Every structure is written in C-alpha cells, then in structure tokens.
Amino acid sequence: MAWEWLPELVITHIYQYLNLQDRVAASKVCKSWHNAFYAPFLWRTMELHLDRDLLQPLDTELMTLTEEPLVIYLVQIFGHHLHRLELIWSRPLPFSLQYIPCSLQLFAPGAQAQAASQFLRILHSKDIQLKELVLTDWIFSYKWKFRGRLLFKLTRFLRSQKQLQILSLQNACLGHHEASKLLIAAVTGCSSVLHQLNLRGAFREWKDAYTNPKYLESLRQLRALTNIHLDYSALSNEVLYVLSQHGVLTCLHVLVRDSDNRQHVLSNHAWNLLSTTCSNLKVSFSIVNIAHHENLCPFLLPSIPLSNFQLLSGCVWDQSRTRNFRSTVRLLTNFYSGTLETIHLHIKNNREMLDDLLLEMLSKCCRLSHLQYDGVLHNMETVREMCLMLINIKTRFHDLHVKPRILNVTNQQIVRDICNRFTKKLAEQQVHLKIEDSQSVC
C-alpha cells in the first residue's frame, strides 16, 4: 500500500507518537501526510523541554521562511488549537556525561531561560488560552541564568488565562515568594474555572507557608476547586477550614514524606467540618519512608474520609524496634472500613504476621476494590481464603495476583489446588487469578 493511500485518521494517530521535528519531516512525505499535519486535534497538547526544544532550529527548507526556532514557528501556526501545555526542565547530568548537540554549543549561558521567556511572551501576545498548564521538574531550573525573568513572564502569562482548569506545580521547588506569585496570578486569571491544583513539591520550604495569609487567601479565591494535591506540610487546620468554605471539593490527595515538617497536628474537628461540608469528598494518603506505627497514627484521624491509602515503607529501618504494622493495618480497618476503596502496602522485608488482618480487612471494608500488598504472606492458605471470598462475592476485586519468592513442596501443592479449584470459577465472575512461581506459572 502506498503511503498516500493511508486514511487521515491513521496518519494523525502516527503523528501523535512523533516529536515536533519528526512531525515536520513526516509532513513532507506526500500530500496526504502534509494535510494531516494540519489536523487541529494533533496540536491540542504540547510537551516542551525548555532547555532543549526552544533552541532547536528549523530545517534548511523552512529556514527560508523564518529564522525562528522550530517550536516558535509551530506555536505561531497552531497555538490557537493548544489546550494542554507541559513545560519541562530536563534533569541535569554531570558535565562529563552531558551530550550537547553541536547546534546548542554556541549559545551563551542563560540562552535557554531567555528562549523560554520569549516563548511565553509569544503565547501571551497571541492570547492563547489553555485549559491545562503543567510545570514539570522546575527544581532543575536553578542551573540557568535569567530565571527571575522567566518566572516574571510565566506569572504574566498565568494572569492572562481565563479558561485554565488544571494547574500543576509539582516538584517546582520554588521559593515561597515565587510560588505565591504564581498562585496569585492563577487566582487573578481563572479563579472561577480552575478546578484542579497540584502543589506537591511546589514550595522549597513549608515552614510558614501553611499558615501564610497569601497562601490561604489564594485557596479561598479558588471557588471551583474540586481536586487538590498537597504535601502534608501544606496542610493545617486553617487550610482545611478554607477548603470547606465552598463545599465543592471532591478529591484531596496528601503526600507525606519522612523529610516533611510534621510537627503541627491537625484536629478531628477540622477534618470533620471538611467532610461534612464536602459530602462527596474522597481523601488519598501516600506515605513514603515512614513505617513505624507511632509515626503514622498522629495524622490518620478517624474523621478523615479516607478512600485511597498508599504506604511505601522503604527497605531500611531501625532493626532495634518493631514497626508494628499489625496496629497500622488494624487502624485502617477500624477507622475506614466504610470509605476505603484502594490500598497499596509496600512493606517488603516485613516479618510480622499480617495474614489474618488482611483477610479481616477484605471482609470488613465493604467498598474495597483494589488491594496491592507487596509483602510477606506466612501461609499460602491465606490465598485460598481470598479466593473463597471472591467466589462468595464478599469482595469487589477483579484481579488477584500472587508472586511468591520461594515455594516449598507443601505450598506448591496448595497453589496447584487453588488453580484447579478456583481459576475457572473466578473467570466466570470476571476475576483474573494469577499465581507465579519460579518453577511453574498457572
């Protein structure tokens, strides 16, 4: 089949897997590929590496039309189609490992930030209205000069956005003053339509930010906010009170790391007020490198409408004392049996007996539909009990995946019996059973 005979839908689908330079090259294949190049939905989304893509020149043929970089040239043509823009700073490598293309070696220091500022100025001058703006890994922008000028242009661009619905500053690691300016700019432009905000890692330090008046006022002005991602350091009773004022919040995602400031304590009253005013609220907790129960229980309060819980305990811990995972699993079952939908427990190298508590959790948590347990089961009979619960429709699971490290002769017999008894019955209920073994897989 000749290339020009391909349907335009197939061609545009291929275009979606190509970077900007390859798209331009593919547009010269034939007339059909050239026409597909101008399909509007192909330019709804753009992912841009500020320190690489903005200095890539056009090829020699297009150079006759303009001397601007390829991205600038394309955004002037297709910018009015743009809905989602992701601005990325690449992770810097040690100088000895960096590969710097010849086309970029002649640019002066700070050229990347200046080119990014020019790009934002063009977006602003063309009055391009986005629906989603994502800043990815801006923590690495510190290595470029003219960073202040770039942030000024970004603030100005944000202030002009009237239709922005999603804003992500994840891992921006900005100074408190810089991040506050971006938040205020977003409030100025799109406070009535912005419904999703991601501030995980947005601030370099949260020591005073969670009670800062500008931060609280910015959250208060976001009247349509339904989904927000925060570090635990960004939470306080005042923040919960502010989020409860409009009563529209449906998803609150909280990340807790061992490096976060956890000295402040939230109250049951603040959580209860939030869950009462926001009746459809679902709270997610992701806990990283915190394993001991006495460190976990202060922020797992009974008034939280906890829907999703993820615990990544890490591989290194204090061997001189137990991590008491039994108390943690029991707390989850006792406090959140009516709200939990998803649980991920990544507690490898755990030596505590949790089999009975996992079965209890499955039987009591009526909404639980996904349990991922990366840990030790002391008895393969536990898997048999799980299968029986699925057969009797006591759970809402669609997948059961077990991956034992080592199976002795007794456990191998149990696995064969489980596969023979339950695989077909579970398949009839659209439940996928998979048990892996180094010697056999069923």
Side-chain angles (χ1 to χ4, degrees):
M1 178 183 291
W3 286 107
E4 62 268 18
W5 293 352
L6 284 175
E8 183 173 333
L9 183 62
V10 175
I11 299 175
T12 52
H13 185 73
I14 295 173
Y15 268 125
Q16 292 178 347
Y17 292 93
L18 304 179
N19 59 36
L20 298 181
Q21 287 190 322
D22 290 340
R23 286 185 183 183
V24 173
S27 68
K28 303 172 186 176
V29 170
C30 62
K31 185 176 180 180
S32 297
W33 283 72
H34 179 77
N35 292 337
F37 179 74
Y38 289 88
F41 82 91
L42 194 61
W43 302 99
R44 295 279 192 259
T45 299
M46 182 177 291
E47 296 179 1
L48 186 63
H49 286 80
L50 297 175
D51 48 344
R52 294 205 310 258
D53 298 339
L54 287 173
L55 297 179
Q56 292 290 345
L58 293 163
D59 59 16
T60 53
E61 292 185 18
L62 291 176
M63 269 295 202
T64 59
L65 301 177
T66 177
E67 296 182 357
E68 293 177 333
L70 174 62
V71 173
I72 302 295
Y73 172 74
L74 292 176
V75 81
Q76 288 181 339
I77 299 176
F78 303 109
H80 58 286
H81 298 309
L82 195 59
H83 286 175
R84 182 184 187 275
L85 177 62
E86 183 174 0
L87 302 177
I88 308 168
W89 285 101
S90 303
R91 182 183 298 271
L93 296 172
F95 186 79
S96 59
L97 300 178
Q98 286 189 32
Y99 167 71
I100 304 177
C102 295
S103 59
L104 301 182
Q105 289 178 357
L106 300 180
F107 289 97
Q112 289 85 353
Q114 286 185 308
S117 299
Q118 180 190 6
F119 174 75
L120 291 171
R121 180 183 60 79
I122 292 175
L123 293 181
H124 183 264
S125 64
K126 293 180 68 66
D127 194 28
I128 292 175
Q129 297 293 318
L130 301 176
K131 293 185 177 179
E132 181 176 356
L133 176 62
V134 180
L135 308 186
T136 302
D137 291 334
W138 276 53
I139 186 175
F140 303 122
S141 66
Y142 69 89
K143 60 179 284 189
W144 307 113
K145 293 184 178 180
F146 305 105
R147 185 170 178 270
R149 182 185 302 176
L150 173 59
L151 288 171
F152 172 77
K153 295 293 185 182
L154 180 60
T155 303
R156 186 183 178 190
F157 175 66
L158 261 178
R159 196 178 291 116
S160 69
Q161 297 301 295
K162 306 302 181 184
Q163 302 175 13
L164 192 66
Q165 300 175 9
I166 301 174
L167 174 63
S168 174
L169 306 181
Q170 184 171 358
N171 294 331
C173 199
L174 300 170
H176 179 265
H177 184 64
E178 297 170 335
S180 296
K181 279 189 173 182
L182 292 182
L183 275 178
I184 294 172
V187 167
T188 303
C190 51
S191 61
S192 61
V193 294
L194 187 69
H195 65 80
Q196 183 170 326
L197 179 64
N198 190 340
L199 294 179
R200 285 182 178 176
F203 289 79
R204 189 178 299 119
E205 294 182 359
W206 277 108
K207 290 181 179 179
D208 300 316
Y210 53 79
T211 56
N212 183 274
K214 291 184 179 179
Y215 168 61
L216 295 175
E217 184 59 27
S218 297
L219 294 180
R220 183 178 289 107
Q221 293 296 325
L222 296 175
R223 300 183 295 274
L225 193 62
T226 60
N227 192 319
I228 185 169
H229 298 247
L230 294 172
D231 298 316
Y232 184 77
S233 303
L235 280 177
S236 64
N237 291 332
E238 291 82 0
V239 171
L240 296 180
Y241 293 146
V242 167
L243 294 176
S244 66
Q245 289 183 359
H246 300 297
V248 297
L249 192 68
T250 57
C251 296
L252 172 58
H253 305 262
V254 183
L255 174 64
V256 191
R257 292 167 294 210
D258 56 341
S259 58
D260 287 340
N261 176 13
R262 306 192 305 276
Q263 301 302 318
H264 61 292
V265 179
L266 304 182
S267 69
N268 265 309
H269 177 269
W271 277 113
N272 193 35
L273 177 63
L274 180 64
S275 60
T276 302
T277 56
C278 303
S279 56
N280 296 321
L281 177 64
K282 294 183 179 181
V283 177
S284 301
F285 264 89
S286 297
I287 302 174
V288 181
N289 292 332
I290 303 175
H292 299 283
H293 176 68
E294 59 269 26
N295 296 330
L296 289 169
C297 58
F299 44 80
L300 292 178
L301 302 177
S303 55
I304 301 175
L306 188 65
S307 174
N308 302 298
F309 181 79
Q310 182 178 35
L311 175 62
L312 306 176
S313 65
C315 299
V316 180
W317 68 92
D318 185 2
Q319 296 281 1
S320 64
R321 60 194 179 113
T322 176
R323 293 188 285 183
N324 198 5
F325 281 126
R326 288 187 63 84
S327 294
T328 300
V329 175
R330 188 177 288 113
L331 180 149
L332 292 174
T333 303
N334 293 339
F335 284 178
Y336 312 116
S337 60
T339 58
L340 274 174
E341 298 177 0
T342 301
I343 299 177
H344 179 193
L345 301 175
H346 189 283
I347 51 178
K348 291 186 177 180
N349 301 321
N350 170 56
R351 299 171 185 173
E352 298 179 56
M353 174 72 172
L354 298 178
D355 299 44
D356 58 327
L357 293 181
L358 291 175
L359 291 174
E360 182 182 353
M361 176 181 288
L362 290 177
S363 63
K364 289 186 176 181
C365 296
C366 55
R367 296 188 179 185
L368 191 63
S369 60
H370 180 83
L371 170 63
Q372 182 173 345
Y373 174 67
D374 296 332
V376 176
L377 289 177
H378 288 258
N379 194 339
M380 285 300 296
E381 289 290 346
T382 303
V383 180
R384 192 199 303 272
E385 293 294 327
M386 291 180 178
C387 291
L388 285 171
M389 295 177 78
L390 291 170
I391 291 293
N392 296 325
I393 319 181
K394 292 185 178 180
T395 66
R396 305 167 62 187
F397 289 84
H398 298 289
D399 293 277
L400 178 59
H401 182 190
V402 182
K403 188 176 182 180
R405 294 182 182 177
I406 301 175
L407 288 178
N408 56 31
V409 176
T410 302
N411 284 334
Q412 287 180 1
Q413 179 60 40
I414 295 175
V415 168
R416 283 193 290 269
D417 180 60
I418 291 174
C419 292
N420 292 335
R421 287 184 59 190
F422 299 110
T423 301
K424 184 177 179 180
K425 293 181 180 179
L426 292 176
E428 292 174 354
Q429 298 183 12
Q430 298 182 342
V431 178
H432 179 235
L433 171 64
K434 182 178 182 182
I435 302 178
E436 295 187 15
D437 181 16
S438 57
Q439 299 178 355
S440 63
V441 178
C442 70

